[in-house]
Amino acid sequence: MSQTKHFEQKWQAKWESAHVFEADPDPKRQKVMVTFPYPYMNGPLHVGHTFTASRVDAYARFKRMQGYNVLWPWGWHWTGQPLLGASQRVARGDQEYIRVLLEVDGVPEAELKKFVDPLYMAQYYTNEGRLAAKSIGFSVDWRREFTTVMPTYQKFIEWQYKNLKEKGYVTRGTHPVVWCPKDKSPTGDHDRQSGEGVTSEEYTLIKYKLDEKTYLPAATFRPETIYGVTNMWINPDAAYVEATVNGENWIISQEAAEKLKEQERKVEVKREFKGKELIGKTFENPVTKLKFPILPGWFVDAKQATGVVYSVPAHAPYDWLALRDLQEKPEVMADFGVDPQLVLGIKPISIIKVEGYGDFPAVEIVEHMGIKNQHDPKAEEATKTLYKKEFHGGVLKASCGPYAGKSVREVKDILIKDFKKMGVADSMYDLPEPVICRCMTQCIVKILSDQWFLNYSDPQWKQKAHAAVAQMNIYPDSAKPWFNTVIDWLREWACARTTGFGTPLPWGKGWIIETLSDSTVYMAFYTVNKQIKQNNVKAEALTPEVFDYIFYGKGNPSELAKISGINVDLLEAMRAEFLYWYPFDLRNSAKELVPNHLSFCIFHHAALFPPEHWPKAIGVNGMLMVEGKQMHKSKGNFITMKGAVEKYGADATRCGLLLGAEGMDDPDWRAENISDLQGKFEGLMGFASGIIACAKNGEDTMLERWLQSKLQSRIKEVTASLDELKTRTALQVALFETWNDLRWYIQRKGNTNAKALGDAVKVWLKMLAPFAPFLCEELWSQTGEEGFICVAQWPTFDAGKVDVAAEEQENLITDLMTDTSNILKAMKITPKRICYYTAAPWKWQVYLKILDKTTAGEAKINELMKEFAADKDLKPHMKDIAGLVPRIIKALTKVSGERKANMQKIKAVDEQTILEGAVGFLHERFNAEVSVYGENGEARFDPKQRAAMAMPYQPAIYIE
RNA sequence: GCAGGGGUCGCCGAGCAUGGUCAAAGGCGUAGGCUUCAGGAGCCUAUCCUUCAGAGGUUCGUGGGUUCAAAUCCCACCCCCUGCACCA
């Protein structure tokens, strides 16, 4: 076993036996409750989960070290269809799927056999998931764990839905869904062989009259064009039927009759016939009462909607093309026994005025695009273009009855409503493209009746949800407007279905609460599930009244105790526990959940809880990529949490992920980076151990003060970043930048003996502990400190330890080194001897004066010169000052405001002493003899007269 | 199509809100040196171009604009990612 593995297991066991992550209410301490959306258990936890949860864990550990009482509970989502589907695929012997389970998920064959039981499968993954979460070091209170099929959880969901219903958030209605006739269930995107993303569209059917008792319901998205109809198109070769539809006599395609049966229509087919039978007959426009002929249109697809299409050649390219085709070959009409004159006499009727087109936009666009005939693929594009143009910019002309003068966009919905009221229109749903189910059956649109909805359309509910968003923190801030747009955008959500695992709807037989709807406020359940499990409270006892008491304080505990059999103390303890922990302080997930789960969570909290129990903060992060691509089991780039920890160790996995991205950016998992980091951590262990072993001497030179000072700014930045869930920045600073500080100190110092260095390493480990907990525990134990680092006190910024003089001293050294190497680079030589010359005192006087002026406002050279001339100490140097002033002004423009302020604070610097102290270091660096002189030093070696160039903070240099 | 997020010096990624301190942090990679029996690790240095003196030049998706000054502000365009509903 590797050393890493060894101490990871050691510390995991120690934390567990010390119960450090088990959190109970403690009135003396402030609480922080963090949550992570429970993962769905049809597979193992993967690195995507790991990324999101690592952010939660880093935050939890950080807050715990800050002294908060931190609760992080965890649960498992078993609700829904996919678990059943997965199990069925195993039962069916789906080799492809079984291979994935064996090879990707790493399921042993003996276990796999038992997956024919979906609950067994879920339990298997749950057990594996728990082990993985523990092995990566998530600081979870496992006493509160549950799955969503546990009876006690289901009682909670019953309580939730009872309340939602009573408050009027649950409504009933009908809804069209993509439906597999064979499976007899809705076919979601994941269940489809082809046709992903296809959703149903609603057509308006205009009920043209064939005769007094027979209708030709023509399907359209543009019912306003009824005023421009010139004829009807029927595919002469397609099969049509005459059928009674809800008591009316309709002529529609054979397929349409079947479809309508699933859309709440009573359909009785009376006879079947070919379309050509209709050609040449006339029909009546039910609005204008005018009569028009029925013509053959081969472009008409009987599989689409009713298979009956009316023709508006002025505004619909297909209609114009079909008409033109016929008019060019009127003889085809003879085949149907129809007088060709009937066709030749048809003229387009203009009804919509639209900018950029004349009276007949369809005719124009066909000509402009050079479309040949009704079979030309460009006709589709022309249709779309014109539809959009006329919808957005079209105005109905005088011939359009009561709608004349109105824009198409504003009138469309009104017109549909009116026509339906008049009995001249109906509607049906259909799919714009074919959808094939996994079972290879072609899907249709079915209208589900008596469907239950969460009424997210309710404006008052939306308003409350907005209020909830307004009072919480969202990380990153830029996600806040997104939540608000989603809240505005959500509509009724079907919250129950008939198949899959889940909690039965308390009032609706045969309905099961759908998976995104049973996972919205369960964070509240964590607060009391500890007691429920510890006291073995039976589900039957958890009546809605009991939960009303726990969550709302409603009712009398002693009476409830009698009825429920739960004793009063326990009831009161549960109420107290809820009140202590709720609301949660952070919920963090990937951004894919913003438009659904996270928004639902906000909606439901707003509906069920008073504002003081609304979420405090929500964090959103990107979607994990693997080697630049989306992770997929089928793509062969699926990495499990367990696998990652085994291969790279927990700390490297966590940190590798967290260094990937923050905010809403997508992190990219690169195996090479993770294993590099693993190596880095090994190096870190040796580095830190070495220091811990020998840093004992109580020195306190400028260098120790520099280290201490530098550390303060690191502490400040890491703390501030973690508070905003900027985990990447925080880790970056904690790990790399602080490490670089320590290295610099050691180089300058030349040894690692100072106790101050050891203290700095301890601070460093504390800052790293939320990210790399195992390694930090291990090193912490070497420092001789008592207790776990995971509950050690988080370092706090101490302004008293900031030493700007020490920092400026080091800045002087680094600047000087940069200049020196710049010169060396330009000279392209290996130096033998380097001489530095520090500025004379009078130059400091000038420098500081200019510094004051530049920070106060503008430094005017002539005014400065006057002031300097008036100073009797400076008077003798006026000739040199004239050249020096512009140089100083220029040099100062490159100095940051912060450093200028520091320079003002510390005044003149004893560069001579500082540089002399660094001679040994500089000598090693440049591998040359290094000497330091004052610019007027008597014994100075200055063959090229460089010394006079010296400026404060910029000693002159001579190299040979 | 609608909505949200992006395009930065080999790669990953800071910076952009509050324009100058930005040739632009940090990590990785690469090159050289030190250390080592060797390998690895570690440590140091360099890494847009030019420059024998600490300097200059050209860069931040594309094209315009504002300004003494723009990676940062404004406009237009191109490209990429994510979500879009009965499903986790």
Side-chain angles (χ1 to χ4, degrees), chain A residues 618-796:
Chain A
I618 287 180
V620 179
N621 52 250
M623 306 270 298
L624 186 86
M625 312 291 270
V626 169
E627 310 294 342
K629 293 196 191 68
Q630 241 185 60
M631 180 168 64
H632 269 301
K633 283 187 181 176
S634 57
K635 283 188 192 160
N637 64 352
F638 189 86
I639 297 166
T640 63
M641 186 187 289
K642 184 184 173 184
V645 172
E646 272 171 10
K647 192 159 176 190
Y648 306 103
D651 292 324
T653 299
R654 294 165 61 113
C655 294
L657 285 164
L658 291 180
L659 284 171
E662 67 190 8
M664 282 195 277
D665 294 340
D666 300 332
D668 189 9
W669 169 278
R670 298 200 174 207
E672 210 186 320
N673 288 359
I674 311 297
S675 88
D676 284 340
L677 194 60
Q678 196 184 6
K680 273 222 169 308
F681 279 155
E682 278 169 30
L684 189 154
M685 291 286 287
F687 177 81
S689 293
I691 292 169
I692 290 164
C694 67
K696 308 270 192 250
N697 296 352
E699 294 164 76
D700 182 28
T701 70
M702 215 48 166
L703 280 173
E704 282 74 37
R705 291 201 294 280
W706 173 85
L707 182 60
Q708 187 72 263
S709 181
K710 206 75 187 162
L711 211 46
Q712 297 313 306
S713 62
R714 303 304 183 203
I715 291 168
K716 200 176 187 175
E717 200 177 354
V718 173
T719 307
S721 301
L722 271 172
D723 265 320
E724 288 175 47
L725 216 62
K726 288 187 181 170
T727 43
R728 196 192 116 94
T729 302
L731 178 52
Q732 160 103 5
V733 174
L735 177 57
F736 296 118
E737 313 228 345
T738 309
W739 199 349
N740 285 346
D741 294 338
L742 295 168
R743 281 198 192 105
W744 176 258
Y745 165 86
I746 293 166
Q747 277 177 56
R748 286 279 281 121
K749 186 75 180 178
N751 65 57
T752 60
N753 298 335
K755 185 176 167 298
L757 178 60
D759 291 342
V761 166
K762 284 186 198 169
V763 171
W764 186 38
L765 292 177
K766 283 180 179 178
M767 288 197 289
L768 280 175
F771 306 101
F774 294 103
L775 173 145
C776 291
E777 262 340 323
E778 183 66 17
L779 287 166
W780 188 248
S781 70
Q782 293 177 13
T783 64
E785 292 281 346
E786 296 286 317
F788 294 113
I789 196 169
C790 67
V791 289
Q793 208 203 336
W794 183 258
T796 47

Side-chain angles (χ1 to χ4, degrees), chain A residues 1-48:
Chain A
M1 193 190 298
S2 78
Q3 211 200 333
T4 307
K5 183 123 268 155
H6 175 73
F7 70 69
E8 283 183 4
Q9 288 180 0
K10 175 175 81 183
W11 291 107
Q12 189 194 317
K14 287 195 178 206
W15 291 330
E16 207 156 328
S17 60
H19 306 282
V20 277
F21 306 131
E22 294 178 3
D24 294 309
D26 174 358
K28 292 193 292 294
R29 282 194 299 161
Q30 262 189 291
K31 64 91 189 181
V32 167
M33 180 177 176
V34 300
T35 64
F36 166 75
Y38 47 31
Y40 189 72
M41 280 296 104
N42 65 340
L45 295 179
H46 51 70
V47 281

Side-chain angles (χ1 to χ4, degrees), chain A residues 777-825:
Chain A
E777 262 340 323
E778 183 66 17
L779 287 166
W780 188 248
S781 70
Q782 293 177 13
T783 64
E785 292 281 346
E786 296 286 317
F788 294 113
I789 196 169
C790 67
V791 289
Q793 208 203 336
W794 183 258
T796 47
F797 172 79
D798 181 349
K801 289 179 178 164
V802 174
D803 188 328
V804 292
E807 293 203 30
E808 277 314 315
Q809 158 177 329
E810 291 311 294
N811 285 337
L812 173 68
I813 303 285
T814 50
D815 287 351
L816 190 60
M817 285 170 60
T818 306
D819 284 347
T820 308
S821 4
N822 243 328
I823 295 166
L824 289 172
K825 215 168 103 192

